[in-house]
Structures are given as structure tokens and as C-alpha cells.
Amino acid sequence: MNPKYKPLFDTFTLPSGVTLKNRITMAPMTNFASHENGEVSDQELAYYRERSGGVGAVITACVYVTPDGKGFVNEFGADKDEMIPSLRRLADTIHQEGAKAILQIYHGGRSCPPDQIPDGQPISASAVAEEKEGAPVPREMTTDDIHRVIRAYGEATRRAIEAGYDGVELHGANGYLVQQFFSPHSNLRTDEWGGSLEKRMTFPLAVVHEVKKVIAAHAKQPFIFGYRLSPEEGHTPGITVDDTLVLVDRLADEGLDYLHISVNHFFGGSFRDRSDERSRTVLIHEKVGNRVPIMGVGSLNTPDDALAALETGVPLVSLGRPLLMEPQWVQKVQHGTEDTIRKTLSKQAQQELVIPDYLWGALTTMPGWMPVTD
């Protein structure tokens, strides 16, 4: 290994006491490969097996915590105890390759396609549709709905513990339900669950408290609890970085293992204010990184990119697209063959890269998202 990359392979002990073998995790990426009943498929297990050998931890694609939270075709589920054997198959597959397994728990809220949920009616903090053509207007959640979904996050956490996972990551990013409650765009409530910035934090913090309670009651060994968030929203009104700095200040008091900052480019600035070129991830690290570890992601394509991210002081990095194009990314850096890392996705390489069919179709037809070659 080139000695300059050694910092990528230093161990890291999270606040819970779980030690990761290196500073690199696999980012959560939807793969559209589960069975219709929410169970993981053999094709999905093969995809994870191919990518779990080098990283310190694998953060899985999101699992829906209730049937009305399913946001994608062929998404896998953690909404009932019957799913525990399916969840265990994936945890075991990841563990067999030497990585920690972290289950990302999720509810899509207003982003759920009507044809993927039982009654065809998405729910959210308020009856405000997404700003995209044809988006359905969600039903505003009642207080009973809110408490039901909070409990469901806890129950999904219990199932993760029983299935042998090393932790969970709460999906509070990318415009899904937890973020919908925090956003002034999607949360117009005037009760205890919305209105002021303080009240818009009530639901995210209630979910955090429920998950912590379940971990304390059921985990028999240290268990990871991370939180993924998007620092800004592009529409107005929308989440600003100042809003997020208030949220992360509160989250830093919760004893979490990490905050995972979901941005397209680790070093990118604001997309609300183009004159502000400061990295959103670094800003959050400077605010709370001495109280909770920060995990960075976004366009960290090369070992030098990942190293530069660590050199900001952020202790953990997450790889998404690089591991799709090059499942052996970590091993190649470790073995000193980083010059052979794939930088494009060949249309002839699906079998070699072990990518499920639906995901493969999306990757090779989505303009601009992935560098694709013939």
C-alpha cells in the first residue's frame, strides 16, 4: 500500500464502543432488487457480498418501517417480524465478508409512489405535495399516525438487533419523512409537531429517542446508531444550513455514533447561495465534530479524494458510486493497485460487477449520474 493512504485504514472506535476496521463505509444505495413481499433476493445478496470485503461497514439500502412508508419498487422491508429471517440473511452475508452491517431505517412519507403503498395515499407532516410534476398531495398525519410511525422505527430497530445487525442508520435525508417534518416546505403544522424551527425538530428527535430506548432495552452488546441528513433544500421555503446547524447541535447531545451528511459533493458549497462555497460537511464538522463523529460522502471517487476528506478532520467517509463501478475499490488501495480502479461503468460489465438487473438498467440509462462507456 502507498503509505500516504494509511489514514484510510486506521481503525475508528465509535461512541457506542464498536470499532470499525477502517475509515471507509459503503453508502446506502437503493438497488431495486428485493422480492415483491419485501424479502431480500439472492441477486441482492450477491451484490452486497461483492462489496462488503474491504469496507469497515456496509450501510444497507433503506428498509421501510411500515407498509405505507415504502418508497421504491422492490425495496426490502423491516415492517414485521416475519421479515427477520430475510434481514438476517443480509446481515450474515455482510459479516461473512468482514464488514459491520448497519441497517438504514426509513419512511418515504409524501415521496412514496401511490402504487407501492396499501391504500395508495401517501402521508406526511402536512398536505403539501413535492415540487415535481404529477406529485400526489399527501394526507396530513394525525397524532395517532405520528405515534404509530415513531413506534415503527423502534420496532424496525428491534428487528435489526434480533437479525444480528451491528447498528441502524436513521434516514433523515433526501426529502423523506423525517426530513419532511423538519422542513418548512412540507411541515405547515401549528401543533406540537410543527411551526417554529424548534417544533419542526420534535418528530426527528422523538424518533431518535424511540430508537435509543429500543437499543437500551434489546441490544446485548454495543450497537451503532447513526443519523443521515441533508443540510439544505433547494426550494423556498426550505431547510437552510443555519436550520441544520441548530438541528445538529441538538443531535450532538443524543449520544449518536455519527452524523452522515448527504450531499452530492463533499467539498461542494451551498446550492441555495452560490456565493457560499464552504463545504456543508466541513461546516457541520466544525460545529459539532468534537461531540459526534461526522461521516462525509459525495464525489469521493479516488483514494486522493477520500484522503483529502479525512484531512479536513472528518473521521469517516462513505462511498457510493465508486463501489458500484469498482467493488474492489478498498482492496485495490490496500494492495497498492489503486491505478487499476475503474473510473467508468462499462455497459458490458454487469455480470462482472454483480449489479442487479433493475439497478443496472437505471445506472446505464440515467443521464449524467454515472460515467458510462460502451
Side-chain angles (χ1 to χ4, degrees):
M1 178 173 60
N2 186 325
K4 75 174 181 177
Y5 297 131
K6 182 182 179 302
L8 294 173
F9 295 92
D10 290 341
T11 61
F12 187 78
T13 300
L14 297 164
S16 62
V18 177
T19 297
L20 304 181
K21 67 182 181 182
N22 59 44
R23 303 302 182 96
I24 307 165
T25 66
M26 178 174 168
M29 292 179 285
T30 300
N31 55 61
F32 312 102
S34 299
H35 296 301
E36 286 189 15
N37 67 355
E39 294 180 354
V40 299
S41 66
D42 289 343
Q43 195 175 50
E44 193 168 15
L45 295 176
Y47 162 85
Y48 278 106
R49 184 179 297 111
E50 186 70 14
R51 289 163 174 80
S52 299
V55 294
V58 170
I59 306 168
T60 72
C62 57
V63 293
Y64 52 90
V65 300
T66 61
D68 61 7
K70 184 180 179 182
F72 305 97
V73 64
N74 296 337
E75 180 184 352
F76 74 120
D79 60 319
K80 54 189 175 183
D81 285 358
E82 288 81 357
M83 290 297 174
I84 293 174
S86 163
L87 295 170
R88 184 179 294 116
R89 289 183 72 203
L90 179 52
D92 288 348
T93 295
I94 294 168
H95 287 151
Q96 286 164 9
E97 301 303 315
K100 301 295 185 186
I102 300 174
L103 188 73
Q104 190 186 63
I105 54 177
Y106 154 100
H107 189 295
R110 69 180 184 178
S111 299
C112 294
D115 64 357
Q116 293 297 312
I117 53 180
D119 65 358
Q121 175 59 68
I123 59 175
S124 187
S126 297
V128 180
E130 292 182 290
E131 288 192 347
K132 65 181 184 182
E133 187 176 351
V137 177
R139 175 177 62 79
E140 179 172 299
M141 293 169 68
T142 65
T143 300
D144 286 345
D145 287 328
I146 290 170
H147 288 293
R148 169 180 63 85
V149 172
I150 291 170
R151 289 193 299 271
Y153 279 105
E155 283 292 274
T157 300
R158 174 183 60 79
R159 294 178 189 116
I161 292 168
E162 294 182 12
Y165 284 82
D166 301 287
V168 294
E169 178 178 280
L170 176 59
H171 197 344
N174 302 108
Y176 300 125
L177 185 64
V178 172
Q179 182 174 324
Q180 288 164 29
F181 268 89
F182 184 54
S183 170
H185 181 275
S186 44
N187 187 347
L188 306 181
R189 303 177 74 100
T190 57
D191 59 5
E192 63 184 300
W193 302 99
S196 66
L197 174 60
E198 183 71 23
K199 288 184 176 180
R200 285 188 278 112
M201 292 191 289
T202 304
F203 181 82
L205 291 170
V207 176
V208 167
H209 296 158
E210 181 73 11
V211 171
K212 286 172 59 178
K213 182 178 75 173
V214 168
I215 292 171
H218 293 277
K220 296 179 172 56
Q221 56 192 21
F223 191 80
I224 299 166
F225 182 17
Y227 186 116
R228 194 173 210 227
L229 62 94
S230 297
E232 292 181 315
E233 289 178 325
H235 39 58
T236 299
I239 295 168
T240 67
V241 74
D242 288 337
D243 294 338
T244 293
L245 292 177
V246 175
L247 175 64
V248 299
D249 188 55
R250 291 290 296 276
L251 291 172
D253 291 333
E254 296 295 337
L256 298 171
D257 282 291
Y258 63 84
L259 298 179
H260 190 177
I261 313 306
S262 181
V263 291
N264 288 329
H265 198 300
F266 179 98
F267 293 101
S270 173
F271 55 80
R272 292 182 65 87
D273 178 3
R274 297 296 181 182
S275 68
D276 184 355
E277 298 180 351
R278 299 171 297 170
S279 163
R280 309 291 89 178
T281 305
V282 174
L283 275 177
I284 292 169
H285 173 70
E286 290 173 348
K287 176 73 173 179
V288 297
N290 61 334
R291 296 156 59 200
V292 58
I294 303 302
M295 184 182 295
V297 70
S299 302
L300 302 176
N301 298 312
T302 69
D304 287 327
D305 293 336
L307 186 63
L310 290 187
E311 287 172 347
T312 67
V314 170
L316 297 165
V317 296
S318 186
L319 304 181
R321 281 172 282 186
L323 287 175
L324 290 175
M325 290 185 288
E326 180 53 82
Q328 302 296 308
W329 193 101
V330 179
Q331 294 94 320
K332 287 187 174 185
V333 178
Q334 198 164 20
H335 297 148
T337 57
E338 62 274 4
D339 57 330
T340 67
I341 290 175
R342 295 177 178 88
K343 297 179 176 62
T344 60
L345 189 72
S346 166
K347 288 184 178 179
Q348 314 305 317
Q350 180 185 5
Q351 300 306 315
E352 182 183 0
L353 298 179
V354 194
I355 295 178
D357 294 336
Y358 192 109
L359 176 60
W360 181 257
L363 293 175
T364 53
T365 58
M366 193 183 302
W369 196 77
M370 181 79 72
V372 177
T373 61
D374 291 332

